[in-house]
């Protein structure tokens, strides 16, 4: 289920059965021309990942809106992100997963109130290429197995 009106209408009466929240974490730095393309590509890959996982576990996983933050601010974002998670926990989510390609979050993993799922990402490329699609499907399968291990 996703953060759409249609899915929310379906989620509300069934929320006792949807115990897992997946939050895509998206860094951006509009001040850096050098980083903008890389981060936009990673956002697209993150969307593909999370959509594949949500589709596979529809009815069990709720896909939250993307959490955006300025690159390099993980240490100051921890309280804000935990506050976000706290608001979502008012719903009956037992499991909260944060999906990111940003390795800097690993240093703050213990401070987070959700489980961090860090995936090393392709830095750039063609989102439609066979190699990219293959990478995404393989990694999404591994992330799915990890999520299942927490259930």
């Amino acid at each position: 289920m996703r953060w759409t009106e249609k899915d929310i209408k379906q989620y509300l009466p069934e929320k006792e059965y949807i115990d897992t929240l997946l939050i895509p974490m998206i860094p951006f730095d509009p001040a850096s021309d050098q980083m903008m393309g890389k981060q936009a590509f990673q956002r697209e890959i993150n969307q593909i990942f999370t959509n594949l996982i949500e589709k596979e576990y529809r009815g069990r996983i709720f896909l939250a809106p993307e959490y955006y933050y300025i690159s390099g601010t993980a240490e100051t974002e921890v309280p804000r992100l935990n506050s976000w998670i706290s608001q979502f926990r008012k719903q009956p989510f037992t499991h909260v997963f944060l999906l990111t390609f940003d390795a800097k979050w690993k240093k703050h993993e213990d401070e987070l109130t959700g489980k961090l799922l860090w995936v090393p990402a392709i830095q750039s490329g063609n989102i439609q290429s066979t190699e990219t699609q293959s990478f995404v499907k393989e990694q999404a399968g591994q992330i799915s197995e990890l999520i299942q291990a927490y259930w």
Side-chain angles (χ1 to χ4, degrees):
M1 308 200 132
R2 298 180 182 158
W3 191 258
T4 63
E5 182 181 14
K6 177 185 169 202
D7 282 3
I8 294 294
K9 285 180 181 177
Q10 186 179 357
Y11 162 76
L12 291 172
E14 304 295 328
K15 68 182 178 179
E16 66 187 87
Y17 304 106
I18 302 157
D19 65 351
T20 304
L21 178 71
L22 180 60
I23 301 174
M25 296 171 56
I26 312 295
F28 70 100
D29 186 356
S32 172
D33 291 353
Q34 183 179 9
M35 295 298 293
M36 285 176 66
K38 174 184 166 186
Q39 290 171 340
F41 179 78
Q42 287 184 357
R43 177 185 171 267
E44 291 178 59
I45 295 288
N46 194 312
Q47 283 182 322
I48 294 169
F49 261 93
T50 54
N51 286 334
L52 283 171
I53 293 167
E54 184 275 337
K55 185 177 180 180
E56 182 175 347
Y57 296 112
R58 186 158 182 84
R60 178 86 193 256
I61 285 183
F62 189 91
L63 180 57
E66 295 169 333
Y67 180 86
Y68 289 93
Y69 62 94
I70 301 290
S71 295
T73 62
E75 61 279 346
T76 59
E77 284 292 320
V78 169
R80 182 174 162 245
L81 182 54
N82 282 338
S83 175
W84 232 57
I85 293 168
S86 174
Q87 291 300 310
F88 274 110
R89 286 214 191 259
K90 291 178 182 175
Q91 296 296 318
F93 295 117
T94 308
H95 309 283
V96 176
F97 295 99
L98 309 160
L99 182 68
T100 184
F101 298 122
D102 186 349
K104 293 178 182 102
W105 280 99
K106 289 296 287 175
K107 290 191 270 183
H108 305 284
E109 187 171 16
D110 293 340
E111 303 167 51
L112 297 170
T113 56
K115 301 285 185 211
L116 184 70
L117 302 172
W118 171 73
V119 179
I122 301 171
Q123 300 301 310
S124 63
N126 180 352
I127 204 121
Q128 302 300 324
S129 76
T130 305
E131 296 83 20
T132 302
Q133 294 294 321
S134 206
F135 168 80
V136 169
K137 287 179 184 172
E138 180 182 323
Q139 292 292 325
Q142 291 178 12
I143 293 296
S144 291
E145 288 176 21
L146 184 59
I147 289 171
Q148 285 179 27
Y150 283 99
W151 290 339

